Amino acid sequence: MSIKIGDKVRFLNSVGGGVVTGFKGKDQVLVEDEDGFDVPALIRECVVVGSNDMQVRSDNRPVIQKPVAPQPPVQQPVRQVEKPVEVKVEETPEGERLNVFLAYLPVDPKIMQQTGYEAYFINNSNYFLFFNYMNRVNNSWVSRYHGLVEPNTKIFLEEFEKSALNELERICVQFIAFKKDKPYSLKNTISVELRLDTVKFYKLHCFTENDFFEDDALVYPIIRADVPEKEMLISATDLQEAMLQKKKADTSVSQPKQRARINSPIIEVDLHIDQLLDNTAGLSNADMLAYQLDKFREILDQYANKKGQKIVFIHGKGEGILRSAIEKELKTKYKQHYVQDASFREYGYGATMVTIK
C-alpha cells in the first residue's frame, strides 16, 4: 500500500507512529507524533494503520466540551505495549567486506545548467555504520549530515543547489562499523577525504549507469573491499608529481619552488608550470591549472598561522586564466587575508601579494 499525506502510520523498528504530513526526498516521510513534532522516517519502515480521513495537525484547534451524562465505571482492558519489530539483516558473503559510496544525482537531468542535486550515502555491506559527512571551509570542517545507516542500505543526505558546488570541492567521510547482537570482525575506524571534480556536475554524460539507482548517477567510492579509496583517487597531476619527485630523489637534484629574498620578509612563489614541473608530457591545460592551484593552496595553508607574513605569487600575465582562478580562490576560500597587486617595478603585472591575517 502506498503512503499518502494524512495516513496514520506506525513504525516497524521502534515504538510509536503518527500522521504523515509530508515527504523528504525519495525514501523518507515526515510523521507528526502525538506531541506535535515532525519526525523523519524511512518509508519502508512505516506501515499504514489508518485511512487518510484524519485531520493533519488538528491538535492546534480548540476542543469544544459537550455535556456528557454520567456513565457507570467501565474497567479498561490492559494495554498491550507493542515491541519494536526487529528487521532481520540479510547478509551476503561479499558484504563481510566494507563497500561504501557517495552518490550524486541531478534533480532534473533535462536542465543540467540550472538543476540542483541529491546526495546519498550507500552502505553496501553487512555492517551498521555510524557516519559523518562533511565539507571543508577554509581550514575547518562543517558537518552536513551524521547518523546511523543500516546494512545494505542507501540513505538520502541532502538536496543542494548548483551554487553550493564550490563548498563541495573538498569533502570527508568518517564512520565506525559494527553489528548488532552477534560477533563480527573488527573494522578500523575510517576517515577518507575526497576532492570532487565539480566540473562533472555540469555534464550529463558524467552521470552514468550504476548498481544502486535506476537513474544515472555520479558515484564516488569511499572504501572498497575494506580498502579506503585514498590510493585509488590519485589524479594524473598527482601521479606526475610523484614520478618527478622520485626522479629528483634518484638524481639528488632538487629545485626549490619558493624562496625568500635576502634581507626581506617576503616569500616568493613562482607558479609558472615550468618552475613546478620538469616535464608536462601527458598533462592537459586543465591538469596543469589544477596542479598550480594545489600549490597555491598548499603555500597558504602552510603559512596560515603566521600573521603578517607576506607572500608574492608569481603567475604571469598570459591569458589571465591562472590569475583569474587565484583571484576566485582569494575571494571565496581565503577572503580573510589582505590581497593586493605585487610591485609593478619588480614583477610587472604578473604577480599578486597576499598578507596573512
Side-chain angles (χ1 to χ4, degrees):
M1 179 184 293
S2 61
I3 295 178
K4 303 180 292 298
I5 293 177
D7 283 350
K8 184 176 182 180
V9 299
R10 66 177 177 84
F11 302 138
L12 292 176
N13 292 337
S14 61
V15 176
V19 179
V20 175
T21 60
F23 292 86
K24 183 179 180 182
K26 299 179 179 179
D27 302 321
Q28 294 182 302
V29 292
L30 296 176
V31 179
E32 181 183 354
D33 62 17
E34 60 184 7
D35 295 323
F37 295 100
D38 284 341
V39 179
L42 293 172
I43 293 176
R44 60 183 177 79
E45 293 182 359
C46 299
V47 58
V48 178
V49 296
S51 67
N52 57 359
D53 295 332
M54 61 186 70
Q55 292 285 340
V56 177
R57 298 190 181 277
S58 59
D59 56 317
N60 293 327
R61 299 187 178 187
V63 178
I64 302 175
Q65 299 290 343
K66 296 182 178 180
V68 180
Q71 298 290 334
V74 178
Q75 184 176 1
Q76 297 293 332
V78 178
R79 180 184 177 186
Q80 298 294 329
V81 178
E82 295 183 1
K83 295 182 179 180
V85 179
E86 289 289 340
V87 178
K88 184 178 180 180
V89 176
E90 296 184 4
E91 298 189 344
T92 61
E94 58 272 16
E96 287 304 301
R97 292 188 175 185
L98 295 177
N99 291 278
V100 179
F101 307 84
L102 285 174
Y104 300 92
L105 290 79
V107 174
D108 189 349
K110 296 179 181 179
I111 49 173
M112 284 301 297
Q113 298 305 313
Q114 293 84 31
T115 187
Y117 306 92
E118 294 179 338
Y120 289 84
F121 184 86
I122 302 168
N123 176 19
N124 191 22
S125 74
N126 297 337
Y127 287 76
F128 289 83
L129 301 179
F130 276 123
F131 76 99
N132 187 20
Y133 167 66
M134 64 200 96
N135 70 287
R136 184 172 180 175
V137 178
N138 296 327
N139 295 322
S140 303
W141 294 90
V142 176
S143 179
R144 303 181 72 90
Y145 190 101
H146 57 86
L148 174 68
V149 60
E150 299 176 359
N152 302 304
T153 301
K154 62 178 181 283
I155 185 171
F156 175 79
L157 299 179
E158 63 174 342
E159 181 176 327
F160 59 91
E161 298 299 326
K162 196 175 294 289
S163 58
L165 280 175
N166 289 336
E167 302 174 4
L168 294 172
E169 288 184 357
R170 295 296 298 273
I171 61 174
C172 180
V173 176
Q174 297 177 328
F175 61 83
I176 299 173
F178 66 97
K179 291 186 180 182
K180 292 183 177 180
D181 305 323
K182 63 175 63 177
Y184 57 89
S185 298
L186 183 64
K187 305 292 183 181
N188 292 330
T189 301
I190 301 299
S191 180
V192 174
E193 294 183 31
L194 302 178
R195 184 187 298 276
L196 299 188
D197 185 356
T198 55
V199 175
K200 291 183 178 180
F201 284 73
Y202 290 84
K203 301 176 181 179
L204 184 59
H205 70 270
C206 291
F207 295 82
T208 58
E209 186 177 350
N210 58 89
D211 296 330
F212 309 109
F213 301 90
E214 295 181 358
D215 300 323
D216 292 343
L218 265 174
V219 179
Y220 287 89
I222 303 300
I223 182 172
R224 288 188 287 190
D226 283 344
V227 180
E229 288 294 311
K230 293 179 181 178
E231 294 83 4
M232 301 181 186
L233 291 170
I234 297 176
S235 66
T237 55
D238 293 332
L239 182 60
Q240 182 75 22
E241 179 185 11
M243 293 174 63
L244 288 171
Q245 288 178 346
K246 183 177 184 303
K247 179 179 178 182
K248 292 177 182 179
D250 293 340
T251 58
S252 299
V253 176
S254 176
Q255 179 179 343
K257 295 181 176 62
Q258 63 187 70
R259 62 186 184 275
R261 296 180 298 173
I262 299 176
N263 299 325
S264 172
I266 298 176
I267 293 174
E268 294 179 359
V269 181
D270 195 335
L271 293 178
H272 285 93
I273 196 65
D274 57 353
Q275 294 296 314
L276 301 178
L277 296 173
D278 292 335
N279 185 357
T280 59
L283 299 180
S284 66
N285 290 336
D287 290 335
M288 290 186 283
L289 178 61
Y291 187 87
Q292 291 169 307
L293 288 177
D294 283 343
K295 286 299 176 184
F296 168 77
R297 300 184 190 107
E298 177 185 321
I299 297 299
L300 284 182
D301 292 343
Q302 178 181 345
Y303 292 96
N305 295 325
K306 292 190 176 182
K307 294 185 178 181
Q309 178 65 61
K310 298 181 183 296
I311 307 172
V312 172
F313 291 98
I314 304 171
H315 44 68
K317 187 177 179 182
E319 297 180 358
I321 297 176
L322 176 58
R323 179 178 187 141
S324 297
I326 289 175
E327 288 178 350
K328 180 181 177 182
E329 292 277 316
L330 291 170
K331 290 178 180 177
T332 56
K333 298 180 180 179
Y334 302 99
K335 57 185 178 181
Q336 72 272 25
H337 301 320
Y338 179 73
V339 180
Q340 66 185 86
D341 289 334
S343 170
F344 169 74
R345 183 169 300 174
E346 295 185 53
Y347 306 100
Y349 291 107
T352 298
M353 178 183 287
V354 178
T355 304
I356 303 298
K357 288 290 185 74

